[in-house]
Amino acid sequence: ARKIGALVAACAASLGFHNDLKVDNIMFRERDPCLIDFDLADPWIIKIAVTTSYIKYSFEEFFSEVVPAEQREDLAQALRRYYDLFCLSLSIAGDHPWFPEVLVQLVELFKVLQKPVFEPLLAGKRWLPGSSRTEIPIEVMVRQGGITAITVNLFDLQGNAFAHGIPHWQAYPSLLRSNGVHWPGQESTIMSAATASVADGSNVMTSGL
C-alpha cells in the first residue's frame, strides 16, 4: 500500500486527479504496482462518467482565490492524493490487506488539508452550495461489496471507517456526515438522491460555483 501511495503522489504531481483509482486500475509488474487508465485524469476537476457526460466539480477557482500562492501546489497535490486514495478505499473491503495503510494515509492527508482547504470549502455557500456537498461527486461512490454504504462523503473519514467495519470509527476525523452510509438504525435499502442522479444521468454538477 505504501508503494501505491507513492504512485498516487507521482500521479498527483504530474497529471492531477486520476479520477478512477480502484483495484482494477492497479496492475503489478512482478511485485511493483503501476497505475493504468488515465482517461479521466485532470489537474483540477474530480469527475464521474455517466453515459455521454460527467458529474464533476472543479477546485480551480477555489484554489486561485482562497489558497495562498506559496501553498497552492503542495495543497493541490495533497488534495489530489486524498481524493484518489479515498476512491481506492471504496473499492476494497475493510479486511483487504491494503485498507489499513490507505486509511492511515487518508488521516495524514486530512490533517494537512483540514484548515487550509476543507474548512474554507465548507464555510458559507459559495463553493459547495445547498445539497451539492452531500451529492456525487462530493459523495464518493462505493465500488465494492461488503462496504455498508452506497456513497461516502469526501469530508467524512468517520463514515469511511464505519462503512468498512472499523472499531472505534468515531475516533476518525469528519467535517460532514455521509449521506449514503448505512448508519446504525437506518435500513440497509437506503438510496441516496445523489446515487439516483447517477442512475439517470441527471443533476450534473459542473463547477465549484
Side-chain angles (χ1 to χ4, degrees):
R2 274 288 170 186
K3 288 184 177 180
I4 293 168
L7 280 176
V8 173
C11 178
S14 61
L15 295 174
F17 297 102
H18 182 281
N19 276 320
D20 197 20
L21 188 59
K22 55 187 178 181
V23 171
D24 292 348
N25 285 335
I26 299 172
M27 298 187 68
F28 284 84
R29 295 172 179 166
E30 297 181 352
R31 294 188 175 182
D32 294 324
C34 60
L35 303 185
I36 63 171
D37 194 356
F38 296 93
D39 292 348
L40 298 179
D42 192 281
W44 292 111
I45 297 172
I46 57 174
K47 51 186 163 182
I48 303 291
V50 286
T51 58
T52 59
S53 187
Y54 301 99
I55 300 176
K56 57 188 179 178
Y57 181 87
S58 174
F59 292 97
E60 185 171 14
E61 191 166 358
F62 169 83
F63 268 80
S64 296
E65 291 193 23
V66 177
V67 179
E70 64 274 15
Q71 296 179 285
R72 199 168 293 152
E73 184 56 32
D74 287 345
L75 289 173
Q77 290 188 32
L79 179 61
R80 294 162 187 157
R81 291 167 58 200
Y82 179 85
Y83 176 78
D84 283 334
L85 286 171
F86 202 98
C87 290
L88 176 62
S89 76
L90 299 183
S91 77
I92 54 179
D95 59 358
H96 192 286
W98 296 352
F99 184 74
E101 180 59 33
V102 169
L103 187 57
V104 166
Q105 292 183 47
L106 285 172
V107 171
E108 292 172 353
L109 289 165
F110 192 104
K111 292 176 181 177
V112 170
L113 293 163
Q114 180 173 351
K115 294 296 182 182
V117 177
F118 289 169
E119 290 182 0
L121 270 170
L122 293 171
K125 298 181 178 179
R126 180 176 180 188
W127 304 110
L128 285 168
S131 62
S132 63
R133 60 186 61 198
T134 55
E135 294 177 345
I136 290 170
I138 303 302
E139 286 275 330
V140 183
M141 294 178 64
V142 170
R143 302 187 181 196
Q144 170 66 36
I147 300 173
T148 58
I150 297 171
T151 60
V152 180
N153 196 277
L154 190 62
F155 305 108
D156 186 17
L157 288 185
Q158 283 186 8
N160 193 318
F162 173 81
H164 282 88
I166 302 302
H168 312 297
W169 54 270
Q170 298 96 330
Y172 290 88
S174 177
L175 293 175
L176 201 62
R177 185 178 173 90
S178 293
N179 193 35
V181 169
H182 304 158
W183 295 105
Q186 290 185 336
E187 295 295 328
S188 61
T189 55
I190 184 173
M191 178 69 174
S192 70
T195 306
S197 73
V198 172
D200 63 13
S202 64
N203 203 18
V204 175
M205 191 189 313
T206 57
S207 73
L209 294 176

